[in-house]
Amino acid sequence: MAVAGVVALLAALGGALWLAARRFVGSSVPRLHGGADAGLMRGKTVLITGANSGVGRATAAALLRLGARVIMGCRDRARAEAAAAELRRDLRRDGDPGLDPGLDPDGGAGELVVKELDLASLRSVRAFCRELLQEEPRLDVLINNAGVFQCPYMKTEDGFEMQFGVNHLGHFLLTNLLLGLLKSSAPSRVVVVSSKLYKYGDINFEDLNSEQSYNKSFCYSRSKLANILFTRELARRLEGTKVTVNVLHPGIVRTNLGRHVHIPLLVKPLFNLVSWAFFKTPVEGAQTSVYLASSPEVEGVSGKFFGDCKEQELLPKAMDESVARKLWDISEVMVGLVQ
């Protein structure tokens, strides 16, 4: 037991040294944060769900620095306002002269807007979209980032299993209600945050709500597979509209997404060391979202799966067109888009 503990500790320390070396040399993932890219998103409006923490917040910060007008769609408005205030302070501290491009015609960071959006409530999604469509003349990028990870069995306001309801159905309705604005703003982009854990899920049309059986890990993977199938079917439906949609794996990132995962108290110090050594920071995890939202390199690219800012292959089950179409049709009924 003692030997195993020493081996584990040495492995973790080795990982920490590896990470330190990797950070010293620099990441191979391009960072679109400024310099030659400054102003790349000026004049463009971006909506990010779950933007008050983790990858979503890092994505918002990066796109603000590129000049975008960023709308933070968050469940907890108070936390979102606090996060927005911190982002504004960080931008000013880093030398960005203003947050409103209208007041800063020569450049600087974009504007930041906070709106309440609870993806576990179809009523909230519809109210959010009504308000957005009334207030916003254009939407250049929609980033479906928010997510729930391996939570105990619980249901959304509308009776859906929480992970499938938030990760897939909430974003499915949101995207469909905003498609008209995205089309009128074209060329525009939809970016969907999924996970390589999709590999461990499947779409069981007989038990989408997990009422017959529930495994929190499997159901998370199912929701992430649904994200990919949704992306590919949406890309097919959007052909010729100049609205593109792509899906990504951000990597294993140190965020509060894993708050429902139980780690024994005695293991926590080792886990924290290993996560520091091997997991990405939120800034690193956000790079592919920023890339797909802003880079000229992916202009016109649609229906693809990305990781570390590069296109990656999918398993056959994530490319099954018949399953994607059936999932779309059933999702339309579940969220009330069709009767």
Side-chain angles (χ1 to χ4, degrees):
M1 186 71 176
V3 173
V6 170
V7 170
L9 182 59
L10 289 174
L13 289 172
L17 290 173
W18 168 82
L19 181 64
R22 181 169 72 93
R23 287 182 175 171
F24 179 77
V25 174
S27 173
S28 61
V29 179
R31 293 194 176 186
L32 305 174
H33 280 194
D37 298 308
L40 182 63
M41 296 294 287
R42 189 175 300 130
K44 295 187 177 182
T45 297
V46 180
L47 166 60
I48 308 173
T49 66
N52 61 290
S53 64
V55 171
R57 176 173 169 165
T59 302
L63 292 173
L64 280 167
R65 286 185 169 90
L66 295 178
R69 181 173 185 270
V70 175
I71 301 172
M72 302 170 65
C74 303
R75 179 178 59 84
D76 189 323
R77 189 179 187 95
R79 288 181 59 196
E81 292 285 6
E86 289 180 4
L87 283 172
R88 293 185 180 103
R89 284 197 297 269
D90 290 346
L91 289 166
R92 292 192 175 101
R93 181 197 64 205
D94 294 343
D96 285 306
L99 289 169
D100 186 346
L103 300 176
D104 179 27
D106 294 325
E111 182 184 358
L112 189 58
V113 179
V114 174
K115 289 187 177 294
E116 187 174 330
L117 169 63
D118 184 357
L119 290 158
S121 165
L122 298 183
R123 175 181 51 82
S124 175
V125 174
R126 291 181 183 278
F128 171 87
C129 290
R130 281 196 300 270
E131 182 177 321
L132 193 80
L133 292 173
Q134 290 173 357
E135 297 178 355
E136 300 296 330
R138 63 181 302 108
L139 179 61
D140 300 277
V141 183
L142 166 62
I143 303 180
N144 290 334
N145 166 83
V148 180
F149 179 71
Q150 295 191 11
C151 60
Y153 187 80
M154 57 183 75
K155 291 185 177 182
T156 68
E157 179 180 285
D158 305 280
F160 306 128
E161 185 276 312
M162 186 64 70
Q163 295 187 90
F164 190 75
V166 170
N167 298 353
H168 170 60
L169 292 174
H171 282 122
F172 178 88
L173 178 61
L174 177 76
T175 305
N176 273 281
L177 293 179
L178 296 178
L179 274 183
L181 186 57
L182 285 161
K183 289 177 181 178
S184 67
S185 306
S188 55
R189 305 180 185 188
V190 178
V191 178
V192 180
V193 179
S194 181
S195 167
K196 280 189 176 178
L197 292 177
Y198 84 86
K199 298 176 180 179
Y200 305 105
D202 62 53
I203 305 299
N204 179 6
F205 288 108
E206 303 304 315
D207 191 27
L208 282 178
N209 218 29
S210 302
E211 293 176 331
Q212 298 174 20
S213 64
Y214 180 72
N215 178 289
K216 62 182 182 180
S217 299
F218 167 80
C219 287
Y220 177 76
S221 295
R222 169 190 284 174
S223 72
K224 296 291 100 177
L225 175 59
N227 288 157
I228 298 172
L229 292 167
F230 162 66
T231 296
R232 290 179 58 81
E233 176 62 13
L234 180 59
R236 185 186 69 81
R237 291 170 179 253
L238 289 175
E239 287 179 2
T241 65
K242 294 187 178 180
V243 181
T244 61
V245 52
N246 291 291
V247 61
L248 68 102
H249 167 60
I252 304 175
V253 187
R254 293 194 305 277
T255 70
N256 63 0
L257 189 64
R259 59 189 176 275
H260 294 296
V261 178
H262 174 69
I263 300 170
L265 187 61
L266 292 176
V267 180
K268 277 190 176 181
L270 181 59
F271 174 80
N272 291 336
L273 182 60
V274 171
S275 66
W276 184 88
F278 293 102
F279 292 7
K280 290 183 177 181
T281 66
V283 170
E284 291 170 329
Q287 294 311 302
T288 305
S289 292
V290 177
Y291 175 76
L292 291 176
S294 63
S295 176
E297 294 179 8
V298 289
E299 185 70 42
V301 176
S302 194
K304 304 301 182 181
F305 180 66
F306 285 80
D308 290 333
C309 300
K310 297 177 183 177
E311 186 180 337
Q312 298 187 351
E313 293 185 0
L314 287 165
L315 293 179
K317 66 179 176 181
M319 298 188 291
D320 191 319
E321 294 183 2
S322 63
V323 172
R325 292 179 187 182
K326 185 175 180 179
L327 178 63
W328 182 285
D329 292 340
I330 291 176
S331 298
E332 280 187 319
V333 176
M334 293 178 79
V335 303
L337 286 174
V338 297
Q339 301 298 320

